[in-house]
Amino acid sequence: MFDYCLMVERHPDNVAAALFGGFVGTFMKTLSPADTARVEIPRSEVLPELLGGIDTGELPIHKPPLAIGSYHQFRFNRNIKSIIIILDFKLDTSEVRYRLPQDYSREDVVFNAQRCSLLPILLGEDPPNATKISEAMRDRLHQYRADLIPGFA
């Protein structure tokens, strides 16, 4: 089901959260640069040619897509409480993505990669270590859009 949903919604983080719930990590299969630039998943990646060449109406006419993306469900410490804030405004996704730079410094990428690799483990530990979790949630790659969110910058 995960792969079929990825045929329509190219964001495995959204699909896995909706299908499986909980705390999930995901990734998509590596696509060619030309296919990556497309908005939708290339049909050839998910629906091979018809078997037998003719659609007789008999099922299945297509082989199911396999391994378009992958996910993992992490443990989440139930003692950690979250606050979700839904703001009353909308941002255009293309405008927000446009604000991100084409290149990042190695220092900033390493900073984020170190914290992203540790955060899922920290959120599953009992008892939780608030100091380490707070540090692991720091981010240097997405702050370029902060001024688009009222009250955030």
Side-chain angles (χ1 to χ4, degrees):
M1 180 58 79
F2 185 57
D3 288 321
Y4 282 105
C5 291
L6 289 175
M7 292 167 46
V8 176
E9 167 62 84
R10 194 173 180 167
H11 298 275
D13 51 336
N14 297 342
V15 172
L19 282 177
F20 311 116
F23 181 29
V24 294
T26 64
F27 63 84
M28 283 288 288
K29 162 184 172 177
T30 302
L31 301 174
S32 71
D35 288 339
T36 300
R38 294 176 63 173
V39 175
E40 79 286 357
I41 293 179
R43 187 171 184 201
S44 63
E45 293 288 334
V46 294
L47 292 176
E49 293 298 317
L50 291 174
L51 299 178
I54 299 173
D55 183 358
T56 62
E58 297 179 16
L59 296 176
I61 59 171
H62 296 285
K63 292 181 182 177
L66 298 174
I68 295 169
S70 188
Y71 73 95
H72 179 80
Q73 289 186 291
F74 295 105
R75 286 182 295 158
F76 189 81
N77 185 324
R78 301 279 180 198
N79 294 319
I80 297 175
K81 304 300 179 208
S82 302
I83 297 173
I84 298 171
I85 299 171
I86 301 173
L87 301 174
D88 191 21
F89 69 93
K90 294 182 181 184
L91 292 174
D92 183 289
T93 301
S94 61
E95 177 187 348
V96 174
R97 285 189 181 146
Y98 177 76
R99 297 293 289 281
L100 295 174
Q102 291 296 313
D103 299 300
Y104 295 92
S105 73
R106 176 178 291 185
E107 179 184 350
D108 286 348
V109 171
V110 168
F111 180 94
N112 267 49
Q114 290 172 333
R115 283 152 183 80
C116 287
S117 64
L118 189 56
L119 184 59
I121 296 164
L122 292 172
L123 293 173
E125 288 187 336
D126 191 13
N129 184 320
T131 302
K132 287 184 179 179
I133 291 170
S134 177
E135 178 62 28
M137 292 182 74
R138 292 182 56 212
D139 174 37
R140 290 188 184 170
L141 302 184
H142 297 86
Q143 304 312 313
Y144 299 94
R145 336 183 250 205
D147 63 319
L148 296 173
I149 302 170
F152 186 77

